[in-house]
Amino acid sequence: QAVLKFSAACLALRPLAIMSVASPSPAPGQYAEGSWVADQGGQGLTCQVPIVGARGAGKSTLLQAALQDAALAGAAGPEEEADGLRLQRAVCDLGRGVRVAADLLELPADERYLPLLTHFGTAAACVIFVVSLADPNGPDDLQRRIAAFGGAPRRGLLVVSGPVGTPPGEQAMERLERLRALAGQCGFQCMRFETPEAMQRGRLLRTICTLATRELPAKVDPLHLLGSGLGQV
């Protein structure tokens, strides 16, 4: 537990690496470590985004879907971290000269990580919660993970995966309504995808980075970033 806590704290609080774009629209994997720069006259931001959820909820599917977003300006990795943590760095072009280099951090469903979520929440610009409609304990698991963060993060996204059935199953519909209600109570944005293909078309990377930066003014200075979980290039 002590080793887990130390590695989690180091990962959550370490400076984000800045990446350079090799071409106007590089393919995933074409990044080199170095100086990542925003478009001329624009601004570059960095952030960390934990992805949490139960085993089989669809965290890895979401991570892959984010890399299919048309707003992807490039990616590096993925990097396998210790004890099952997975880090994927992706750069999102939000337009108007703004690019966000996001560290998407998939956290294992392992119960040992619950006490460590506050470390990741401290450094996060936003948090993604993933729940499968097929999981009868999905709403309870979501509440448990929110509580492990010390309460609802200021910026959160709930992604619900899986179909309700044809015809819609009563239990699945009840879970969906409960999840939507929890998202509303916490002030989370909520998205639902019935299939992995639908998730790939969901513009997830743009949604995540827009959420992470939604409280920033059009022109950002370092004071605006205090306590936001965002850094500036």
Side-chain angles (χ1 to χ4, degrees), residues 175-188:
R175 283 196 289 272
L176 179 58
E177 290 307 313
R178 187 177 169 195
L179 288 167
R180 285 174 170 164
L182 287 170
Q185 292 168 14
C186 294
F188 293 168

Side-chain angles (χ1 to χ4, degrees), residues 52-78:
V52 300
R55 191 180 307 277
K59 300 186 295 295
S60 296
T61 302
L62 183 147
L63 199 57
Q64 291 304 312
L67 298 179
Q68 304 303 315
D69 196 321
L72 180 73

Side-chain angles (χ1 to χ4, degrees), residues 144-159:
R144 195 158 53 96
R145 294 182 192 278
I146 291 172
F149 276 98
R154 186 169 62 179
R155 292 177 293 272
L157 172 64
L158 172 61
V159 176

Side-chain angles (χ1 to χ4, degrees), residues 189-209:
Q189 185 173 343
C190 182
M191 304 177 75
R192 185 172 80 88
F193 303 101
E194 291 198 356
T195 64
E197 292 75 21
M199 193 178 287
Q200 289 180 2
R201 298 190 298 268
R203 305 185 74 181
L204 274 166
L205 183 62
R206 177 180 290 275
T207 299
I208 292 165
C209 293

Side-chain angles (χ1 to χ4, degrees), residues 39-222:
D39 289 339
Q40 186 174 1
Q43 42 191 328
L45 301 169
T46 62
C47 68
Q48 186 178 94
V49 181
I51 303 170
V52 300
R55 191 180 307 277
K59 300 186 295 295
S60 296
T61 302
L62 183 147
L63 199 57
Q64 291 304 312
L67 298 179
Q68 304 303 315
D69 196 321
L72 180 73
E79 300 175 15
E80 290 296 333
E81 297 289 341
D83 204 49
L85 279 77
R86 184 183 180 197
L87 173 66
Q88 173 66 63
R89 290 175 176 152
V91 176
C92 178
D93 188 344
L94 290 179
R96 302 182 307 280
V98 179
R99 286 187 173 181
V100 180
D103 271 16
L104 305 175
L105 184 62
E106 180 186 341
L107 301 181
D110 196 317
E111 296 290 324
R112 295 176 300 162
Y113 276 87
L114 283 178
L116 307 179
L117 292 185
T118 52
H119 293 288
F120 295 99
T122 298
C126 67
V127 178
I128 305 173
F129 297 89
V130 188
V131 180
S132 170
L133 273 182
D135 183 0
N137 299 315
D140 293 333
D141 183 81
L142 173 62
Q143 287 183 301
R144 195 158 53 96
R145 294 182 192 278
I146 291 172
F149 276 98
R154 186 169 62 179
R155 292 177 293 272
L157 172 64
L158 172 61
V159 176
V160 183
S161 64
V164 293
T166 307
E170 182 177 347
Q171 292 182 338
M173 287 300 298
E174 288 177 356
R175 283 196 289 272
L176 179 58
E177 290 307 313
R178 187 177 169 195
L179 288 167
R180 285 174 170 164
L182 287 170
Q185 292 168 14
C186 294
F188 293 168
Q189 185 173 343
C190 182
M191 304 177 75
R192 185 172 80 88
F193 303 101
E194 291 198 356
T195 64
E197 292 75 21
M199 193 178 287
Q200 289 180 2
R201 298 190 298 268
R203 305 185 74 181
L204 274 166
L205 183 62
R206 177 180 290 275
T207 299
I208 292 165
C209 293
T210 299
L211 176 62
T213 59
R214 71 180 179 186
E215 297 170 13
L216 296 181
K219 188 64 177 177
V220 179
D221 67 46

